[in-house]
Amino acid sequence: MLPQEFVDTLNQVATDSVAGMQAAAEPVVTEAKLSIWELCTQGGILMIPLLILSLVCIYIFVERAIVINRAGKQDETFMKRIKDYIHEGEIESAMNLCKKENTPYSRLIAKGITRIGRPMNDVLVAIENTGNIEVAALGKGLPWLATTASGAPMLGFLGTVIGMVQAFFDIASQGSAASIATFSSGIYTALVTTVAGLIVGIIALFAYNYLVARINSIMNMLETKSMEFMDLLNEPA
């Protein structure tokens, strides 16, 4: 008979061998990772116009936000000083104050001052025309944001359709050799442009609505200043 120690050693070796074979037979699962850059490169050529649109929108938003915020600043003593100058007959001083202020409402008042002495309706029309010009200047570039808000998602959908056509073409070309991996890879690649287009479109939409709201508030301020100036002209000296 074999010694017991030898038998135990053989059993241990057999156990270790079976465990090693089972471990080798089990598939090694690795977690797939995909960076943002890799995801963007999967979107194809339509990612380039989407990138350009996003950069243009960022530039327009930042530039317009700065201009509109400057236009919205008010000097609380401005109208009182204009009133004092006009009642004292110092028209030149009032004009110099408007030029120094250099804001949309100061240019509005300056246009009204140049029409002093004419019928009130002429003064009001001149002020309104100037106000329209000022508001149009503030809205410069906003059509780009509006176009991007609606156009970027459409570009994304176009990229997805093109990607889906390519995916089905690849599957048809491979025939019976095609696998679910091939199909799923083509789908997620195609959907990248939709995600990118929606992101760009949503950002452009929010930026557009924010700037429009700020311009509307400035329009209300201009109307208020116009009425104050017209009331000032109707007051007795």
Side-chain angles (χ1 to χ4, degrees), residues 104-205:
Y105 69 84
S106 69
R107 289 189 285 270
L108 208 71
I109 301 304
K111 177 60 69 173
I113 292 175
T114 61
R115 297 297 189 270
I116 291 179
R118 296 187 180 183
M120 297 299 293
N121 186 58
D122 292 348
V123 178
L124 182 60
V125 169
I127 291 177
E128 289 178 348
N129 291 337
T130 303
N132 292 333
I133 294 173
E134 292 293 339
V135 171
L138 292 176
K140 179 183 178 182
L142 263 62
W144 273 100
L145 291 179
T147 301
T148 301
S150 58
M154 299 303 294
L155 281 175
F157 294 148
L158 175 61
T160 295
V161 172
I162 294 175
M164 293 294 289
V165 170
Q166 184 64 44
F168 280 110
F169 176 78
D170 293 340
I171 293 173
S173 300
Q174 295 179 14
S176 60
S179 63
I180 187 65
T182 303
F183 186 65
S184 60
S185 175
I187 290 178
Y188 92 78
T189 300
L191 291 176
V192 168
T193 54
T194 296
V195 174
L198 288 174
I199 291 174
V200 175
I202 290 171
I203 293 175
L205 179 62

